[in-house]
């Protein structure tokens, strides 16, 4: 059977590929990697990583296109993920940048990144990674964004069965964001999933059982929902830009590294960190 060769265009700026190649080059220098001992140069390796992220290209296809074995393609991918993720800001750095930028508020929203079915028993025999809200397996990632919905920080992954508030407390977000509000008067806007998280959080008022909200509270809810609605842009930017975040077939615990790497790629592509 004769193979068909065709030309494709990757929807990423060349500057992004070159920036990733530079990160990979510096990583190899730190390791003391000798020249011409790798199957792929740093630019080709960077393009391999970008094709997996942006187009969701299978590793077997990437290996074939680059003339390497599938195990080598996996090693190239995982090295690229690690190098990118290592450049993602930690929570304190992200909040310091937000404060320095003079933001009036931040947004916090959780997203569940779909995974292939996994068997991991949780409390009382429940499936640890099953999200009852979304009706599929996945990992919960918390995303902090600027007032305009630009993502500035992503959390480590938590099992999909956990609620947003539980995840936020586990990551230390609740304490950190409450401190930010009390010391610098920068509140965090959320949805009702973060009810009772603290005075530093602003979310809609829940309707009392059997009664209606008064006009003042209805107006408050309209304002909060309207301003916070742009937080959906942060999750959309990550998931729409990178097919790799729509469904993860690797170990679900690896979502942490993938999400952090995606954030860095987004920052490189747009030249914006905050």
């Amino acid at each position: 059977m004769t193979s068909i060769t065709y030309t494709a265009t990757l929807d990423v700026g060349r500057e992004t590929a070159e920036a990733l190649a530079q990160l990979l080059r510096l990583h190899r220098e730190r390791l003391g990697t000798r020249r011409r001992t790798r199957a792929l140069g740093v630019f080709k390796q960077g393009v391999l990583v970008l094709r997996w992220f942006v187009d969701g290209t299978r590793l077997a296809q990437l290996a074939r296109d680059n003339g390497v074995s599938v195990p080598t393609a996996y090693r190239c991918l995982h090295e690229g993920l690690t190098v990118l993720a290592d450049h993602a800001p930690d929570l304190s750095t992200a909040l310091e940048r937000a404060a320095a930028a003079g933001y009036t508020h931040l947004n916090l929203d959780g997203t569940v990144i779909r995974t292939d079915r996994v068997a991991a028993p949780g409390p009382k025999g429940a499936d640890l990674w099953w999200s009852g809200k979304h009706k599929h397996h996945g990992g919960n990632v918390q995303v902090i964004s600027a007032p305009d919905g630009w993502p500035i920080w992503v959390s480590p992954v938590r099992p999909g069965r956990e609620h947003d508030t539980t995840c936020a407390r586990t990551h230390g977000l609740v304490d950190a964001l409450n401190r930010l509000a009390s010391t610098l008067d920068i509140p965090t806007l959320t949805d009702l999933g973060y009810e009772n998280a603290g005075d530093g959080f602003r979310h809609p008022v829940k309707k009392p059982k059997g009664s209606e909200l008064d006009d003042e509270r209805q107006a408050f809810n309209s304002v909060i929902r309207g301003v916070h609605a742009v937080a959906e842009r942060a999750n959309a930017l990550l998931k729409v830009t990178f097919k790799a975040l729509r469904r993860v077939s690797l170990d679900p615990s690896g979502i942490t590294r993938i999400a952090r790497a995606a954030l860095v790629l987004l920052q490189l592509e747009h030249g914006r960190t905050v």
Side-chain angles (χ1 to χ4, degrees):
M1 183 178 66
T2 303
S3 299
I4 299 174
T5 301
Y6 65 96
T7 301
T9 301
L10 189 61
D11 190 21
V12 176
R14 185 177 180 85
E15 295 80 4
T16 301
E18 291 173 344
L20 174 53
Q22 178 63 13
L23 294 179
L24 291 168
R25 181 177 293 107
L26 293 173
H27 174 70
R28 292 185 184 187
E29 290 176 358
R30 286 193 294 269
L31 294 177
T33 303
R34 291 176 298 169
R35 294 186 62 186
R36 303 183 186 281
T37 58
R38 293 292 193 97
L40 296 179
V42 291
F43 187 80
K44 283 190 174 182
Q45 182 182 358
V47 172
L48 182 151
V49 173
L50 289 170
R51 287 181 63 191
W52 182 84
F53 254 114
V54 177
D55 288 346
T57 308
R58 294 174 301 162
L59 264 297
Q61 181 68 50
L62 293 171
R64 191 159 51 245
D65 291 347
N66 286 279
V68 299
S69 66
V70 173
T72 298
Y74 268 102
R75 286 195 294 271
C76 288
L77 172 64
H78 285 291
E79 182 180 51
L81 290 176
T82 299
V83 168
L84 284 168
D86 286 347
H87 285 78
D90 58 22
L91 180 58
S92 61
T93 299
L95 296 184
E96 286 172 4
R97 290 175 178 173
Y103 289 152
T104 57
H105 68 277
L106 296 175
N107 295 294
L108 174 63
D109 198 15
T111 185
V112 173
I113 297 175
R114 192 178 187 120
T115 66
D116 290 336
R117 185 173 181 84
V118 290
K124 300 181 180 179
D127 193 329
L128 195 63
W129 294 90
W130 176 260
S131 171
K133 177 181 178 181
H134 297 85
K135 307 301 181 187
H136 61 68
H137 288 83
N140 184 301
V141 173
Q142 300 290 298
V143 181
I144 296 178
S145 61
D148 64 350
W150 175 261
I152 62 174
W153 182 82
V154 294
S155 76
V157 70
R158 294 294 302 171
R161 72 180 300 274
E162 294 187 0
H163 295 293
D164 282 334
T165 305
T166 302
C167 295
R169 291 188 188 281
T170 301
H171 300 313
L173 278 175
V174 171
D175 290 339
L177 293 174
N178 275 323
R179 283 197 302 270
L180 188 69
S182 63
T183 57
L184 298 178
D185 195 26
I186 303 176
T188 300
L189 274 58
T190 68
D191 56 28
L192 269 171
Y194 300 86
E195 188 180 17
N196 301 321
D199 294 337
F201 290 77
R202 305 287 186 272
H203 53 72
V205 179
K206 197 172 186 178
K207 184 173 72 172
K209 187 176 181 180
S211 63
E212 298 294 329
L213 294 173
D214 57 32
D215 291 343
E216 182 179 351
R217 287 183 172 82
Q218 287 184 32
F220 174 82
N221 285 357
S222 296
V223 171
I224 291 294
R225 289 191 174 110
V227 176
H228 177 61
V230 296
E232 294 293 334
R233 175 177 181 253
N235 295 338
L237 273 172
L238 291 167
K239 286 186 171 181
V240 172
T241 305
F242 305 112
K243 286 185 179 179
L245 283 178
R246 300 179 198 174
R247 189 185 190 105
V248 173
S249 58
L250 304 175
D251 182 342
S253 64
I255 292 174
T256 295
R257 186 172 53 160
I258 296 170
R260 287 170 62 85
L263 177 66
V264 175
L265 278 178
L266 195 66
Q267 293 174 342
L268 289 175
E269 177 72 2
H270 294 270
R272 176 179 174 181
T273 59
V274 70

